[in-house]
């Protein structure tokens, strides 16, 4: 853990410059708007350790796989979201000295991420080697209202000198990905031009041939008056810029406004992208910085109205949850079904920026409750449109007859993850996609989604499960061999309880879905039968036989659901027995030692208990939680949130709060010493779940919203909102009361502390706070 940021309810604040923290801060202070994003790199040159990062959603490169030993079935590439042309560059020179905070004496420094209004601000007072001091205030945002626009206002003042400033505003398209397998550039330059205050570069990705055009326009003011002298234009390979030379005196104020248009061929025809970039840039310049900023702030206000969680009495917890919500909202807006949510979002390059099962298991619940219905629906459509690729992925591994194995990692539906124990064996991701369809319909009531899209996906996944099991004569049961469950500290195990559980559930839900579509959408059902070549009698019979006879490992003595066959053969220890100097174990232990240990990376059995808690009584949940949580090292970002929800469910309020604080501040406090690689965006949705589903006890049962709120001891109150079937429900919980308000005209029914209530439009219910879960 590394705590160096100031606690504040609405802002992330760094109050001194420490180069050792800089790479982590570049991740933490990142900004974006769902279409592109930017690490918190300095605008001016910085010769210290840095990861320059501009990322454009949906634009990727198939980086050729690099492995020591090729195995049949390996993907040919790992998709990488590309480090795109750098648009923020503003180099400053005082006479012949560069302003470079790695070489200057930094006398004052403050960096602020304002989450309420969505901007990054940096203030510094720096002394150059010559003794000249310069002061700056830099404000940057990526527009939520104009999704192809970014803007910077850079204010400079000489503190103790009269001299000459040289300001160079530029685009650098010669940026490399830090994680390029073969150290190659992923971009080729198509065209560039610079004239006066403006410059444009169009680049094309190799192999995938996406075009990106970045345009900039720069203007200067001196002491409130527009600087009229034309800049000198610069052009060289993959670089354009505008150079201003200005005579300044002590305490003068120079304001540099830089506007950027960042366009991709996802939204523009290649022959016209340069002209379109100029049009977008013209519009931004015409609006001006203040109007662009006001429009952007207004969009953030709308987002916070529906998605904010307000915590009274615990600013550390408040800052944590808002940071998580902020990053989720600026990573994905849900307006384009071709896009998804990479685990690092726009904050770094690890995991390639591609799609994982995190989206279905963690992000969809967040967007279902905080965003319009089409946002989570588009995440499901993303998978539906890649169904044929998922069937092809299955064929590569020997599956047939339309059996789909959705990829562990993807950009376009093809599998591009190349660790065999994950690519071939972590197949529970199929179940997460099936569960997301169920979860979406449970929340929205949109049964028609099954007939239009969902049933095809469920049939293909169920065909996979049917072929993935085999019958064991010794056990007289169907078994599933050679898998990796959610706990990636176990590989190639037999009968992982969670994988078997979600496979059986998927088969059962597919049978339910077939009946729903057959009964209510007869013509569409016939169409699905024809399209999938579904043999109704035989396939249903086969699936039911597996459901009835699938093996689940259980310890006969304790009744614990065994993580997999032989788990209790391991030497049993708890995580509190580990040497703190050896944590996280994945950074200190050999993989062999990890695999032989009993330690668990993240919820595995408990992931299934969380999803299917209705199948188990409180004592069963408590028994499994009390066994597995102490053995869990929480070295996956996806871990603490699930455990926090279950701790709330069984009434272990103190542990629920501790785990909540861990998940909400995982990146802010850098628990696992890895934030320099980027943030854990998808797990941030789990943080939201730990409040709403954990402390709030929110569930959906029998088409009703269920709430069983409790409150952590340290909090005075908390509140959140839920979109449920077009009703907007506000929940306020204090130590004394629970207040439920319907914030629109659509009536709904709720179950609160086990009692049913009808909540009329614009009505309110107030109850005593009971601090228990049923």
């Amino acid at each position: 853990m590394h705590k160096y940021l100031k606690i504040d309810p609405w802002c992330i604040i760094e109050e001194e410059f420490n180069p050792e923290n800089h790479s982590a801060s570049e991740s933490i202070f990142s900004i974006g708007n769902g279409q592109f994003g930017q690490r918190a790199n300095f605008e001016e040159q910085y010769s210290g350790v840095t990861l320059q990062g501009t990322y454009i959603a949906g634009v990727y490169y198939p980086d050729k796989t690099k492995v020591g030993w090729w195995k049949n079935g390996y993907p040919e590439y790992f998709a990488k979201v590309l480090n795109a042309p750098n648009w923020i560059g503003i180099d400053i020179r005082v006479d012949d000295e560069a302003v470079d905070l790695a070489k200057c004496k930094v006398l004052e420094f403050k960096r602020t991420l304002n989450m309420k209004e969505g901007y990054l601000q940096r203030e510094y007072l720096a002394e150059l080697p010559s003794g000249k001091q310069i002061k700056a205030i830099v404000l940057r945002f990526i527009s939520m209202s104009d999704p192809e626009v970014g803007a910077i206002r850079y204010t400079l003042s000489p503190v103790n000198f009269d001299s000459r400033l040289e300001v160079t505003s530029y685009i650098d398209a010669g940026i490399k990905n830090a994680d390029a397998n073969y150290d190659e550039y992923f971009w080729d330059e198509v065209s560039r031009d610079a004239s006066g205050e403006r410059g444009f570069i169009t680049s094309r990705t190799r192999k995938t041939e996406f075009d990106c055009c970045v345009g900039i326009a720069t203007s200067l003011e001196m002491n409130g008056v527009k600087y009229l002298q034309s800049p000198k234009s610069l052009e060289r390979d993959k670089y354009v810029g505008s150079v201003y030379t200005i005579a300044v005196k002590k305490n003068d104020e120079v304001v540099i406004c830089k506007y950027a248009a960042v366009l991709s061929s996802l939204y523009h025809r290649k022959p016209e992208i340069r002209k379109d970039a100029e049009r977008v840039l013209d519009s931004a310049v015409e609006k001006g910085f203040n109007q662009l900023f006001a429009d952007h702030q207004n969009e953030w206000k709308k987002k916070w109205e529906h998605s904010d969680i307000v915590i009274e009495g615990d600013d550390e917890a408040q800052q944590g949850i808002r940071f998580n919500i902020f990053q989720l909202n600026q990573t994905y807006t849900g307006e384009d079904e071709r896009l998804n949510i990479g685990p690092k979002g726009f904050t770094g390059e690890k995991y390639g920026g591609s799609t994982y099962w995190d989206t279905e298991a963690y992000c969809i619940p967040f967007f279902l409750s905080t965003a319009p219905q089409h946002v989570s629906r588009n995440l499901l459509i993303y998978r539906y449109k890649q169904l044929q690729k998922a069937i092809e992925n299955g064929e590569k591994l020997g599956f047939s007859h339309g059996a789909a194995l959705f990829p562990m990692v993807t950009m376009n539906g093809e599998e591009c993850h190349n660790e065999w124990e994950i690519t071939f064996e972590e197949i529970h991701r199929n179940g997460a996609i099936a569960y997301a369809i169920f979860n979406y319909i449970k929340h929205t009531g949109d049964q028609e989604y099954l007939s239009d899209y969902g049933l095809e996906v469920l049939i293909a996944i169920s065909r996979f499960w049917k072929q993935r099991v085999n019958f064991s004569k010794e056990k007289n049961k169907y078994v599933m061999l050679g898998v990796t469950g959610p706990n990636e500290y176990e590989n190639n195990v037999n009968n992982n309880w969670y994988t078997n559980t979600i496979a059986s559930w998927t088969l059962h839900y597919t049978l339910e879905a077939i009946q729903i579509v057959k009964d209510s959408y007869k013509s569409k059902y016939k169409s699905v039968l024809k399209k999938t070549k579904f043999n109704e009698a035989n396939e249903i019979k086969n699936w039911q036989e597996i459901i009835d006879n699938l093996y689940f490992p259980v310890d006969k003595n304790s009744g614990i659901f065994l993580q997999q066959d032989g788990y209790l053969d391991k030497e049993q220890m708890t995580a509190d027995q580990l040497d703190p100097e050896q944590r996280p174990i994945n950074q200190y232990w050999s993989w062999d030692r990890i695999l032989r240990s009993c330690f668990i990376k993240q919820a595995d059995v408990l992931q299934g208990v969380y999803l299917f808690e209705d199948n188990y009584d409180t004592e069963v949940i408590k028994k499994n939680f009390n066994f597995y949580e102490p053995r869990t090292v929480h070295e996956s970002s996806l871990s603490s949130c699930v455990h926090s929800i279950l701790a709330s469910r069984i009434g272990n309020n103190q542990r629920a709060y501790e785990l909540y604080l861990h998940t909400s501040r995982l990146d802010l406090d850098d628990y696992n010493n890895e934030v320099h690689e980027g943030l854990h965006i998808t797990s941030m949705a789990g943080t939201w779940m730990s409040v709403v589903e954990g402390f709030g006890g929110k569930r959906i049962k029998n088409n009703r919203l269920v709430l069983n709120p409790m409150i952590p001891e340290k909090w005075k109150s908390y509140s959140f909102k839920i979109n449920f079937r077009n009703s907007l429900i506000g929940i306020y919980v204090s130590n004394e009361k629970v207040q439920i308000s319907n914030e629109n005209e659509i009536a709904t029914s709720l179950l609160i502390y086990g009692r049913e209530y009808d909540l009329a439009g614009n009505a309110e219910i107030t109850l005593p706070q009971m601090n228990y879960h049923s």
Side-chain angles (χ1 to χ4, degrees):
M1 187 190 299
H2 182 43
K3 298 172 77 78
Y4 67 94
L5 301 168
K6 182 179 177 182
I7 302 299
D8 183 277
W10 273 111
C11 294
I12 311 301
I13 302 169
E14 183 180 13
E15 292 191 308
E16 64 176 341
F17 180 64
N18 182 344
E20 292 182 4
N21 297 335
H22 182 59
S23 293
S25 290
E26 285 185 331
S27 299
I28 290 168
F29 290 82
S30 296
I31 55 175
N33 67 359
Q35 201 156 308
F36 73 105
Q38 179 74 42
R39 281 172 62 85
N41 312 116
F42 293 162
E43 286 80 3
E44 71 280 355
Q45 70 182 71
Y46 181 70
S47 59
V49 177
T50 182
L51 171 60
Q52 184 68 48
T54 305
Y55 306 103
I56 302 173
V59 175
Y60 69 95
Y61 176 81
D63 200 10
K64 186 179 178 183
T65 297
K66 190 173 187 177
V67 293
W69 179 25
W70 190 271
K71 297 179 178 67
N72 287 335
Y74 266 168
E76 295 182 1
Y77 67 88
F78 194 113
K80 306 283 177 65
V81 169
L82 302 189
N83 201 329
N86 172 26
W87 61 273
I88 67 169
I90 302 175
D91 283 350
I92 313 293
R93 297 186 71 85
V94 179
D95 292 329
D96 294 323
E97 293 182 288
V99 175
D100 178 347
L101 297 195
K103 296 178 178 178
C104 296
K105 185 176 182 180
V106 182
L107 304 174
E108 296 175 11
F109 183 88
K110 185 178 183 181
R111 177 160 33 190
T112 303
L113 179 65
N114 185 307
M115 298 180 289
K116 189 173 185 177
E117 298 180 349
Y119 67 86
L120 171 63
Q121 183 164 297
R122 181 168 55 100
E123 304 169 45
Y124 67 82
L125 172 61
E127 184 174 280
L128 282 67
S130 64
K132 295 173 183 173
Q133 294 180 3
I134 191 163
K135 182 168 63 174
I137 301 174
V138 191
L139 191 151
R140 177 162 92 215
F141 67 95
I142 293 178
S143 177
M144 276 288 184
S145 55
D146 297 79
E148 296 174 319
V149 172
I152 300 166
R153 184 172 62 207
Y154 200 126
T155 304
L156 284 167
S157 270
V159 174
N160 62 353
F161 63 89
D162 300 343
S163 192
R164 176 176 54 87
L165 283 185
E166 185 179 276
V167 176
T168 304
S169 175
Y170 65 88
I171 307 168
D172 181 4
I175 304 295
K176 274 187 177 181
N177 270 53
D179 68 342
N181 286 344
Y182 296 92
D183 198 34
E184 63 179 319
Y185 282 104
F186 295 155
W187 297 92
D188 288 322
E189 184 180 88
V190 175
S191 66
R192 68 174 184 270
D193 60 278
S195 177
E197 299 176 344
R198 296 197 173 197
F200 296 86
I201 294 183
T202 301
S203 303
R204 179 168 296 157
T205 61
R206 297 175 180 178
K207 297 183 182 178
T208 45
E209 297 191 340
F210 292 101
D211 275 16
C212 168
C213 185
V214 177
I216 57 170
T218 311
S219 64
L220 266 68
E221 287 184 359
M222 171 77 84
N223 298 324
V225 178
K226 182 174 174 60
Y227 187 75
L228 297 175
Q229 184 176 328
S230 295
K232 174 186 173 184
S233 296
L234 287 180
E235 278 192 58
R236 58 177 183 265
D237 184 41
K238 299 178 180 175
Y239 182 100
V240 296
S242 303
V243 183
Y244 295 83
T245 303
I246 315 160
V248 293
K249 294 183 179 181
K250 178 181 174 181
N251 296 326
D252 277 348
E253 184 178 82
V254 177
V255 178
I256 306 150
C257 276
K258 181 173 185 177
Y259 306 91
V262 181
L263 281 64
S264 82
S265 55
L266 255 65
Y267 303 102
H268 300 270
R269 293 184 65 248
K270 292 178 183 179
E272 297 163 4
I273 196 168
R274 164 64 177 78
K275 183 173 66 177
D276 290 349
E278 189 159 13
R279 174 180 50 77
V280 171
L281 199 59
D282 285 344
S283 174
V285 171
E286 184 177 350
K287 281 187 178 181
F289 189 93
N290 291 340
Q291 186 60 53
L292 280 172
F293 191 35
D295 293 346
H296 168 75
Q297 290 168 305
N298 190 52
E299 288 301 312
W300 268 111
K301 182 180 178 182
K302 293 177 187 175
K303 287 189 177 294
W304 284 117
E305 282 174 359
H306 282 192
S307 62
D308 192 19
I309 292 177
V310 180
I311 297 170
E312 186 185 9
D314 188 348
D315 284 350
E316 191 174 31
Q318 177 69 87
Q319 184 185 48
I321 191 61
R322 281 192 173 134
F323 180 68
N324 285 252
I325 295 168
F326 173 76
Q327 293 293 347
L328 284 161
N329 279 329
Q330 70 171 3
T331 300
Y332 183 75
T333 60
E335 301 306 317
D336 188 339
E337 64 194 28
R338 296 172 297 176
L339 302 181
N340 209 284
I341 308 160
K344 295 295 181 188
F346 300 120
T347 72
E349 297 174 17
K350 191 176 180 181
Y351 305 129
S354 304
T355 301
Y356 283 60
W357 69 288
D358 307 22
T359 291
E360 284 74 27
Y362 295 85
C363 297
I364 280 181
F366 169 78
F367 288 110
L368 276 170
S369 291
T370 64
Q373 183 172 317
H374 74 272
V375 172
S376 45
R377 198 174 199 267
N378 277 345
L379 287 170
L380 298 183
I381 295 290
Y382 176 90
R383 293 293 193 180
Y384 173 78
K385 290 197 168 181
Q386 295 179 355
L387 176 58
Q388 186 55 44
K389 290 285 187 183
I391 291 170
E392 292 169 13
N393 292 335
E395 289 172 349
K396 291 174 185 177
L397 301 185
F399 297 90
S400 61
H401 189 55
L405 177 57
F406 279 89
M408 185 67 188
V409 176
T410 195
M411 285 298 299
N412 63 1
E414 290 181 302
E415 177 64 76
C416 63
H417 194 284
N418 52 37
E419 295 176 32
W420 68 269
E421 65 272 20
I422 305 299
T423 308
F424 302 157
E425 296 191 341
E426 199 165 327
I427 53 178
H428 63 82
R429 71 237 193 195
N430 254 9
I433 290 164
Y435 190 86
I437 295 170
F438 163 76
N439 210 15
Y440 167 79
I441 294 169
K442 181 172 72 169
H443 278 77
T444 64
D446 183 10
Q447 293 278 19
E448 196 167 355
Y449 183 84
L450 277 177
S451 61
D452 291 346
Y453 306 104
L455 184 56
E456 284 183 55
V457 174
L458 292 170
I459 287 171
I461 291 174
S462 293
R463 284 170 167 171
F464 170 83
W465 290 129
K466 191 268 178 186
Q467 296 175 44
R468 189 57 174 77
V469 300
N470 62 276
F471 191 78
S472 165
K473 290 184 179 180
E474 189 270 329
K475 288 184 170 64
N476 198 31
K477 293 280 186 181
Y478 285 96
V479 296
M480 200 175 316
L481 309 178
V483 304
T484 296
N487 172 27
E488 293 173 341
Y489 289 174
E490 296 274 12
N491 300 146
N492 199 31
V493 301
N494 295 334
N495 295 308
N496 171 260
W497 184 88
Y498 172 72
T499 305
N500 286 15
T501 297
I502 203 160
S504 176
W505 174 87
T506 302
L507 292 169
H508 186 269
Y509 180 56
T510 304
L511 296 182
E512 282 188 5
I514 286 169
Q515 199 60 49
I516 290 168
V517 176
K518 188 176 182 179
D519 291 346
S520 303
Y521 307 96
K522 289 182 173 61
S523 63
K524 289 182 179 179
Y525 181 64
K526 291 178 182 178
S527 175
V528 171
L529 291 183
K530 183 178 180 181
K531 188 174 182 180
T532 61
K533 299 178 182 176
F534 185 63
N535 187 323
E536 185 174 3
N538 286 348
E539 294 196 66
I540 288 176
K541 179 183 176 183
N542 290 338
W543 296 348
Q544 189 63 57
E545 182 182 353
I546 294 167
I547 294 168
D548 293 340
N549 294 284
L550 190 59
Y551 170 72
F552 298 93
V554 177
D555 179 50
K556 293 178 182 178
N557 295 322
S558 66
I560 296 296
F561 304 142
L562 287 180
Q563 186 173 268
Q564 71 269 341
D565 287 349
Y567 178 76
L568 290 181
D569 292 338
K570 295 169 176 283
E571 179 185 3
Q572 294 298 313
M573 298 173 59
T574 53
D576 60 3
Q577 295 174 271
L578 287 166
D579 179 354
E581 298 298 318
Q582 295 288 301
R583 303 285 300 272
I585 61 173
N586 62 26
Q587 295 178 19
Y588 293 96
W589 286 16
S590 69
W591 196 243
D592 169 71
R593 186 180 179 187
I594 289 173
L595 291 176
R596 287 186 289 108
S597 80
C598 71
F599 295 116
I600 301 168
K601 184 180 181 186
Q602 67 189 79
D604 194 305
V605 166
L606 296 181
Q607 183 80 24
V609 172
Y610 158 68
L611 290 180
F612 306 115
E613 67 169 31
D614 289 348
N615 297 338
Y616 316 111
D617 61 32
T618 300
E619 285 308 307
V620 169
I621 297 172
K622 186 179 293 186
K623 184 190 300 181
N624 281 278
F625 181 89
N626 290 341
F627 180 80
Y628 282 110
E629 196 280 328
R631 289 161 172 77
T632 304
V633 289
H634 299 296
E635 289 173 11
S636 164
S637 64
L638 302 174
S639 183
S640 294
C641 55
V642 172
H643 289 86
S644 179
I645 294 165
L646 288 177
S648 292
R649 170 67 176 79
I650 62 175
N652 189 343
N653 297 350
Q654 180 58 35
R655 190 60 179 143
Y657 174 77
E658 292 166 357
L659 289 161
Y660 161 76
L661 210 58
H662 183 280
T663 186
S664 70
R665 300 193 64 84
L666 180 76
D667 289 326
L668 289 177
D669 296 339
D670 201 3
Y671 273 84
N672 292 332
N673 303 313
E674 58 187 6
V675 169
H676 61 281
E677 298 173 328
L679 304 178
H680 297 87
I681 300 298
T682 47
S683 71
M684 291 177 173
T687 301
W688 177 91
M689 289 158 55
S690 67
V691 176
V692 174
E693 297 183 9
F695 305 142
K698 172 250 175 188
R699 305 289 190 273
I700 307 299
K701 295 182 182 180
N702 300 321
N703 297 311
R704 285 183 302 190
L705 181 62
V706 176
L707 297 164
N708 289 301
M710 53 81 74
I711 185 167
E713 185 177 337
K714 194 173 180 180
W715 297 3
K716 294 180 180 177
S717 71
Y718 67 99
S719 61
F720 57 89
K721 294 180 183 179
I722 295 290
N723 284 317
F724 178 64
R725 303 196 177 186
N726 299 317
S727 295
L728 181 61
I729 309 301
I731 297 96
Y732 171 87
V733 183
S734 71
N735 285 302
E736 294 78 32
K737 67 180 180 180
V738 174
Q739 192 169 295
I740 313 295
S741 57
N742 191 344
E743 301 191 7
N744 64 21
E745 296 178 354
I746 300 171
T748 190
S749 65
L750 306 93
L751 208 63
I752 309 171
Y753 294 134
R755 182 178 171 185
E756 187 173 348
Y757 295 87
D758 291 321
L759 186 60
N762 300 310
E764 188 174 282
I765 299 169
T766 301
L767 305 167
Q769 201 279 119
M770 299 176 68
N771 223 38
Y772 82 101
H773 282 302
S774 60

